Amino acid sequence: MKFTTIGMNQADYLKHCEWMRRSLELAQQAGDAGEVPVGAIVVRADAIIAEAENRRERDRDPTAHAEVLALRQAGQVLQTWHLNDCTLYVTLEPCPMCAGAIVLARLGMLIYGADDPKAGAIRTVLNLPDSPASNHRLTVFGGILEPPCREQLQQWFRQRRDRRN
């Protein structure tokens, strides 16, 4: 598993940044709707086939994380749960539930923005994809557009705290 952009050529890096910008737009929509601002897209053959933002509050569903919703949508579009030729872009490092869904979907590549020091299950707290319990390995690049991904989350949480005080 890879965690940095080392070895990534400039064209790929720029492409990943472009897709992450779309994920940030979706995250903004989630934040504007009162959800934790996380956005995700699934890309296959240089085209977005699925996109989602967090919807736990709106859907009253604890599993309605952006990653899970995007993976579900991609499966419907492709008519298969095997997403081995797809890339998931998400603004925040996936939690254990989402990391499990990523492994189960046989995802080809994961690109994420900011590390999650509280619940990150890709490298920060856990490394589920490389666990002996995992039956699938995937390529991972973290830190793509990390500063705006982190700032978006921090700003949203600051605003929530300020409203309470």
Side-chain angles (χ1 to χ4, degrees):
M1 191 179 314
K2 300 176 187 175
F3 293 114
T4 69
T5 58
I6 295 171
M8 185 185 297
N9 67 46
Q10 185 174 9
D12 284 344
Y13 177 75
L14 293 173
K15 178 178 67 173
H16 295 320
C17 288
E18 177 185 333
W19 296 125
M20 188 61 74
R21 282 186 197 89
R22 177 60 186 146
S23 296
L24 279 162
E25 291 170 2
L26 293 164
Q28 185 63 50
Q29 291 174 17
D32 291 347
E35 304 281 352
V36 175
V38 177
I41 65 171
V42 177
V43 173
R44 180 177 182 238
D46 286 328
I48 296 174
I49 62 165
E51 55 182 32
E53 73 268 2
N54 272 354
R55 295 190 55 91
R56 289 187 319 170
E57 299 299 326
R58 288 175 280 177
D59 293 354
R60 292 174 179 83
D61 179 354
T63 69
H65 289 204
E67 303 95 317
V68 169
L69 296 174
L71 292 172
R72 286 178 186 159
Q73 188 180 90
Q76 292 299 308
V77 167
L78 298 176
Q79 292 296 290
T80 182
W81 58 270
H82 288 271
L83 303 179
N84 54 323
D85 58 349
C86 297
T87 300
L88 175 69
Y89 292 83
V90 62
T91 55
L92 182 65
E93 178 183 7
C95 71
M97 176 186 70
C98 294
I102 287 165
V103 168
L104 291 173
R106 308 294 195 271
L107 190 73
M109 183 181 290
L110 168 67
I111 308 287
Y112 72 88
D115 287 339
D116 184 348
K118 293 183 179 178
I122 302 298
R123 79 165 173 186
T124 306
V125 178
L126 301 171
N127 183 337
L128 191 60
D130 281 347
S131 162
S134 177
N135 61 350
H136 174 70
R137 302 291 181 256
L138 68 148
T139 300
V140 176
F141 291 102
I144 301 295
L145 295 185
E146 187 270 337
C149 290
R150 183 185 67 245
E151 178 55 33
Q152 185 181 55
L153 284 156
Q154 289 175 339
Q155 181 179 1
W156 187 85
F157 280 107
R158 266 194 307 273
Q159 290 171 348
R160 299 283 290 198
R161 281 192 299 275
D162 290 347
R163 279 190 226 140
R164 289 185 201 142
N165 296 331

